[in-house]
Structures are given as structure tokens and as C-alpha cells.
Amino acid sequence: MIYWLKYRTKDGIEGYFRDCVTFSYIKEAYTPYTTFKAVVYGNTLPDDIAEIDLNVEGYDVHLGFIDSYKVINQNGVRRGIISSRGYTALLTENQLPPGMYTNMTFNRLFDEYFTLPNIQHESNTESSYIYVNKGASMWDGAANLTYKLTGNYPYIKGNNTVMMTIPEKSREITVKTENIYSYGTDICTRRMVSNYNMADMGGEYGTFSAVSEEAIARGLIRNRHFDLDQRFLSNPESACDYRIMLAERGYKRHFFTVNGYYGEDLNDYITTDTLGKRRINGVRVTGNKNGIFTEFSVYDTT
């Protein structure tokens, strides 16, 4: 098991955790940040840390701020419990002033409004407008802009890089059945909505709507009505389609676990005997006394 775990204090002091008993790193297509949890030991554990940097098998996979850090002294043993999110989580915690933003690009959104640490983004000069509702985050703006320009949902690539396009040429990995440690399927329908209905400019319903055939086939009759969404004034029909897409995101996934980690990332191609060639929609890397294991997730709908 080859990895290192580096920390930085708020005063800029750096060091390494030498004895990490367990760790878990997660990256998922619809989550705008990576998450990291670990248990570390050592008599010289710092009392306070501000940043965590994880490298696994030579790949930088997580650079994030500390959500919580607990140090416990018991029976002469000093143990630290760490919880961290990647810096792109700050995009969900910063808000733009409400209103209409014209000629918006990824470059403008990320470079002109806030200076957020350690966040990179795909270069994009194609523009559209976005409408920012009161209380909406920068990530909401990025999601709205990405959907208008590409039809995709933004995702995190590498270490805190926000992407809007899915590359045509991606890394390809082949996993044979005999090398799979465990596998299975997972279905979650709690978010599904059968019907979305949006009011028109006069406040009347019935003009703009979308239906989820998947939800209806499962007997999940859930109707939602909402006011005119000014983010989609140029194409109001897509306001309901966008909500259907988000409600069905990752509702059915196939997962399988293999030994080791070799730099696999979101939207790389992975080929298995049972699923064929598919895009990776989730990566979960765990380390413990038994080694490093990677669980891949592939969604039936994205």
C-alpha cells in the first residue's frame, strides 16, 4: 500500500501523518467535491490542521480543507479522526448577487467574482446568460451554464478542476471478472419525480411540463409545481427537463471493487465482461491494513 497523507496548519506548517490506519476517498459525478475521511495515530499529532493532501500510488487525488479534526488521547495512545472536503466544495458555499448575468462563460464565472483557493476550471469562452436566484451558489450557476452550453452536468476532474465537457478521448481501463473483488447493483428512487409543471409568465400552469417515464413505470406518482424559472427564459421547456435529469441522477448504479488504485477518474472509460465499455461515474478508494481497494460506480442514466 503506497500512499502519503500530508497536512498543513493555518500557520503554514507542513507535516506528514506517518501512521494512517484507515482512509476513504470518494469522488462522484453529481457531487461538486471530493470527500476524505481517515483515522491516524502518533504521539506527535498536531492539535489543529487546516488542509489535507492525499496521494495514492503516485496520484494526487484529494486536496481539501478540514471539516472536522478530533484528537483523542487514551491509554497512552494519541488518535486523530479527520473529515475533509475538496476545495471545490467552496463553490457551494459562496453566493453571487441575485439577478441576470449576460455573456457568462466559465472563465468569467470562476475568475471575475471570487478568488477561491486551489480551484481550477476548464477554459470556456462560449457564452450564455444565467439568472441567479436569491441564495443560489456559484455551483448552481456553473450547473445552469453547463447545461445550457453542453447539456451536461459539471463534474470534478483530477484535483479540484471543474469541467463542463466530457472528453471524447478518455483513458480506457479493462477489468476482467477474475480480478474483481466484489460487485453488485444499487437502486435509489427517493429523488424521482413523475411530473414537473412550470408556470408561464402569467402564472398559469399547463404550458410547460415534463414526465418521467421511469418514475411512472415504478408507480412513483410525485407531482411538482414551480414558478417560472428565469434561468430558462430562452428555452422554458428545458426547465422541466433539467429537473427530471437531476431527479433521476444516478438512481441505478453498478459497482465493483478491485485491488489497488491506478489513477482512475470520472468519465474515464472502463470495460468489464458484464457491462462492456462504460464511463466511470464514481470512484471510492479505501485503504486499511489489508491494502488499497477501489470501488467503481457506473450509472444506467447520467
Side-chain angles (χ1 to χ4, degrees):
M1 178 165 59
I2 302 174
Y3 68 92
W4 51 254
L5 185 58
K6 184 178 180 181
Y7 68 82
R8 182 183 61 81
T9 70
K10 64 181 181 180
D11 299 319
I13 299 172
E14 296 181 346
Y16 291 87
F17 291 113
R18 301 299 179 184
D19 296 308
C20 180
V21 177
T22 62
F23 74 84
S24 173
Y25 153 80
I26 300 174
K27 178 184 278 189
E28 192 270 337
Y30 291 99
T31 303
Y33 48 84
T34 56
T35 59
F36 173 79
K37 297 181 184 297
V39 177
V40 295
Y41 285 82
N43 293 330
T44 60
L45 294 184
D47 291 322
D48 189 356
I49 57 176
E51 181 181 87
I52 282 293
D53 186 357
L54 172 68
N55 180 288
V56 181
E57 301 289 358
Y59 297 95
D60 293 322
V61 297
H62 176 84
L63 178 66
F65 56 85
I66 296 300
D67 276 326
S68 65
Y69 175 58
K70 184 178 184 179
V71 179
I72 303 170
N73 297 278
Q74 185 176 15
N75 297 326
V77 177
R78 189 169 170 86
R79 181 172 84 251
I81 303 172
I82 304 168
S83 179
S84 169
R85 285 178 295 160
Y87 277 101
T88 51
L90 295 175
L91 297 170
T92 70
E93 299 171 355
N94 282 272
Q95 300 174 350
L96 294 171
M100 185 74 73
Y101 292 74
T102 58
N103 299 317
M104 181 61 74
T105 66
F106 242 35
N107 292 8
R108 285 193 62 201
L109 179 64
F110 286 103
D111 299 339
E112 294 186 10
Y113 296 97
F114 297 106
T115 301
L116 300 177
N118 301 305
I119 297 176
Q120 296 80 43
H121 61 86
E122 179 178 353
S123 180
N124 152 257
T125 57
E126 185 181 1
S127 66
S128 181
Y129 83 92
I130 61 172
Y131 185 86
V132 177
N133 293 313
K134 185 176 181 180
S137 68
M138 285 186 69
W139 182 260
D140 293 328
N144 184 227
L145 183 61
T146 299
Y147 184 73
K148 285 179 177 177
L149 294 179
T150 68
N152 302 325
Y153 193 80
Y155 64 98
I156 308 303
K157 191 76 171 176
N159 215 348
N160 293 302
T161 299
V162 185
M163 301 290 293
M164 67 161 46
T165 61
I166 298 175
E168 293 183 8
K169 293 184 178 180
S170 300
R171 181 180 179 184
E172 298 187 16
I173 303 122
T174 299
V175 178
K176 294 189 178 297
T177 302
E178 58 266 26
N179 296 327
I180 295 176
Y181 181 76
S182 64
Y183 63 94
T185 58
D186 183 17
I187 296 176
C188 178
T189 63
R190 288 190 296 269
R191 290 188 298 255
M192 279 189 171
V193 174
S194 58
N195 300 79
Y196 275 109
N197 299 274
M198 183 177 73
D200 59 21
M201 299 190 78
E204 299 295 325
Y205 293 93
T207 303
F208 307 114
S209 63
V211 175
S212 168
E213 299 294 344
E214 185 68 29
I216 291 175
R218 293 175 178 274
L220 302 173
I221 308 305
R222 297 167 178 158
N223 290 278
R224 300 288 187 270
H225 293 76
F226 59 97
D227 294 336
L228 180 69
D229 191 338
Q230 298 189 66
R231 297 176 300 171
F232 296 93
L233 290 178
S234 62
N235 186 13
E237 292 84 0
S238 63
C240 294
D241 295 334
Y242 180 69
R243 285 167 167 79
I244 289 287
M245 179 195 75
L246 290 183
E248 294 185 357
R249 64 189 186 275
Y251 82 92
K252 183 177 182 179
R253 74 181 182 110
H254 305 266
F255 60 88
F256 46 96
T257 303
V258 299
N259 286 301
Y261 174 71
Y262 303 98
E264 299 88 353
D265 207 344
L266 296 182
N267 286 311
D268 287 348
Y269 283 115
I270 191 159
T271 301
T272 68
D273 296 339
T274 55
L275 294 177
K277 184 178 177 180
R278 302 281 291 275
R279 294 277 188 181
I280 295 175
N281 301 117
V283 178
R284 181 174 184 264
V285 182
T286 57
N288 54 45
K289 64 181 181 179
N290 296 317
I292 292 177
F293 300 88
T294 303
E295 179 190 271
F296 300 105
S297 293
V298 174
Y299 297 156
D300 273 1
T301 59
T302 57

